[in-house]
Structure formats: structure tokens, C-alpha cells
Amino acid sequence: ERMEYAGFRTYIGSDSSAPHSTRLIDFGTQASEVRQRLTQALGLPGSWVEADLDPDSPFPYRLIVGDNYDPCFDPTRGPGG
């Protein structure tokens, strides 16, 4: 919902083999400003972003929401706050 509210189109899938930690995989098809806007909207620290350059990817990003994600972050404290 947070991504949709911030203006990003989403596709929800599942992956039972996904790790238990949150990460954003950047396939390198969007400008860095878009990634920054997304990480700010989600409250993700930069250390949770991984580059996996794939210009043929049908999606610009893949967000894996793990046990460590806090959807109630304080946006005034910056990413991870």
C-alpha cells in the first residue's frame, strides 16, 4: 500500500524461499532518483539495496519484505528510522 500511495505500480508475488531480511533489488532500469524516492517512501536504509543489473527485467525493482521491516517507521528520522 505504501508503494501504491507513493505512486509506484506494484505486483505482489510470493516466494517461500525468500530470506527473512528485507532487501530491495535494483535491476538498473530506472534513474537513481527513482530508487531514492522508493527507499524514502519505504523507509529503507541504503544498505538494504542490492544491485542486480538486468536491462531485460520486466520490473525495475524487486522488494522482498522480511521479518526486520518496520512499516511504522518515522519518516522524520530518515531511512531505517
Side-chain angles (χ1 to χ4, degrees):
E1 290 175 4
R2 187 177 300 259
M3 289 176 66
E4 293 276 338
Y5 184 76
F8 293 94
R9 291 186 317 161
T10 60
Y11 171 81
I12 299 173
S14 64
D15 184 353
S16 60
S17 66
H20 295 283
S21 60
T22 301
R23 60 191 172 137
L24 178 70
I25 301 171
D26 181 355
F27 295 114
T29 63
Q30 299 285 307
S32 62
E33 294 83 14
V34 176
R35 182 184 63 239
Q36 182 179 7
R37 194 167 55 97
L38 178 58
T39 56
Q40 286 177 343
L42 294 169
L44 300 180
S47 61
W48 291 7
V49 179
E50 296 178 18
D52 185 8
L53 302 181
D54 181 1
D56 297 324
S57 173
F59 302 103
Y61 303 99
R62 179 177 184 204
L63 175 64
I64 299 169
V65 180
D67 296 337
N68 62 341
Y69 180 67
D70 181 7
C72 299
F73 72 95
D74 180 354
T76 63
R77 293 179 56 199

